[in-house]
Amino acid sequence: MIVEVPRWTNAKMEISKEEPFNPIKQDIKKGRLRFVRNCFPHHGYIWNYGAFPQTWEDPAALHPETKAKGDNDPLDVCEIGEQVGYVGQVKQVKVLGIMALLDEGETDWKVIVVDVHDPLASKLNDIEDVERHLPGLIRATNEWFRIYKIPDGKGENAFAFSGEAKNKKYATEIIHECHEAWRRLITGDSPAKTPTYEIAIRNLSNSNSPGLVTRNDPAYVNIPTDSRQPPAPIDPSISKWFYISSVQV
């Protein structure tokens, strides 16, 4: 997986699928940097949050069990190990299970994984092991995704399967489906540009892709260098607690 948001942080960092070579950057909504609010008792993201590269939730594909189309993003991943990651970190992980968030009418899968180097990795092999060794984490994950948009004036999110976390076998099938959808996208079998979205598929390594370019391509040559500037200060209001009356404990 690629870590986009380290645990305990609030900045909504995402792979930008619309920009050449898909950099990780902070999401902007209505001209303002986006932060996830702290819904008591959670602080920021409660896992290392990121994505599986070479996956795509196809917005044209209706999933037969969730009854909703894909959200047009890579597969989201929640890494539950004890180490706090960093933005852009590549982690080798074990797949444990998956949840199906229904976000504004779209299927938004959340894959539950653990870093292979985590002290508990040898004991975590399927979703039922998570509750055995990390009691309460799956319930907290369900709650987090259900309520995290409420402070921004939106309603609760819903889940397919009544919020149940499906097992490793089911999760692996979804990963393969989304990898195949990505393969169709990167090779041109699925459109990268439609009236509703445009995905940048420029790349340096997929020889059968219409987006293949060389390192001499202007889009690659003109990638900005690392500025090495320190992070800008974060507004103190981002640390505020929000107490959600509908939270079930």
Side-chain angles (χ1 to χ4, degrees), residues 75-86:
L75 268 177
D76 294 326
V77 182
C78 303
E79 193 277 309
I80 62 175
E82 66 177 38
Q83 292 294 318
V84 175
Y86 57 86

Side-chain angles (χ1 to χ4, degrees), residues 25-177:
K25 60 189 297 186
Q26 191 167 358
D27 189 29
I28 296 176
K29 185 165 287 187
K30 297 181 179 178
R32 302 184 66 180
L33 291 172
R34 187 177 170 198
F35 293 87
V36 165
R37 303 296 185 170
N38 299 311
C39 296
F40 184 84
H42 310 299
H43 183 277
Y45 285 73
I46 61 174
W47 351 254
N48 293 308
Y49 190 68
F52 276 138
Q54 299 190 354
T55 62
W56 182 49
E57 297 189 53
D58 188 348
L62 183 72
H63 192 272
E65 293 184 87
T66 67
K67 311 300 182 185
K69 296 180 179 179
D71 72 348
N72 193 32
D73 280 329
L75 268 177
D76 294 326
V77 182
C78 303
E79 193 277 309
I80 62 175
E82 66 177 38
Q83 292 294 318
V84 175
Y86 57 86
V87 178
Q89 182 179 11
V90 177
K91 278 180 172 282
Q92 185 180 358
V93 297
K94 291 173 68 173
V95 173
L96 303 174
I98 194 167
M99 304 175 82
L101 184 69
L102 299 177
D103 192 353
E104 299 182 10
E106 298 174 328
T107 303
D108 188 4
W109 297 105
K110 308 296 181 184
V111 187
I112 310 298
V113 306
V114 66
D115 190 318
V116 297
H117 301 296
D118 190 81
L120 280 178
S122 63
K123 298 180 179 179
L124 299 175
N125 298 297
D126 214 321
I127 197 65
E128 64 268 14
D129 298 325
V130 179
E131 183 60 28
R132 183 177 301 116
H133 295 285
L134 301 169
L137 181 57
I138 296 300
R139 181 171 63 90
T141 296
N142 179 297
E143 177 184 272
W144 194 97
F145 281 117
R146 190 163 47 80
I147 68 175
Y148 81 101
K149 291 185 177 181
I150 291 177
D152 295 323
K154 296 186 177 181
E156 287 190 8
N157 281 321
F159 282 91
F161 314 119
S162 301
E164 174 194 1
K166 308 293 276 187
N167 65 16
K168 177 180 180 176
K169 180 178 183 294
Y170 192 98
T172 302
E173 291 171 355
I174 296 299
I175 293 168
H176 285 308
E177 287 176 12

Side-chain angles (χ1 to χ4, degrees), residues 191-242:
K193 183 178 181 179
T194 73
T196 56
Y197 67 82
E198 183 173 0
I199 299 175
I201 61 170
R202 281 196 184 99
N203 68 88
L204 301 174
S205 57
N206 290 280
S207 59
N208 57 346
S209 170
L212 181 68
V213 298
T214 68
R215 294 180 183 272
N216 296 322
D217 187 273
Y220 185 79
V221 172
N222 294 325
I223 293 175
T225 56
D226 185 350
S227 68
R228 294 294 175 184
Q229 294 184 18
I234 296 175
D235 189 319
S237 68
I238 300 303
S239 297
K240 177 182 177 180
W241 283 117
F242 288 84

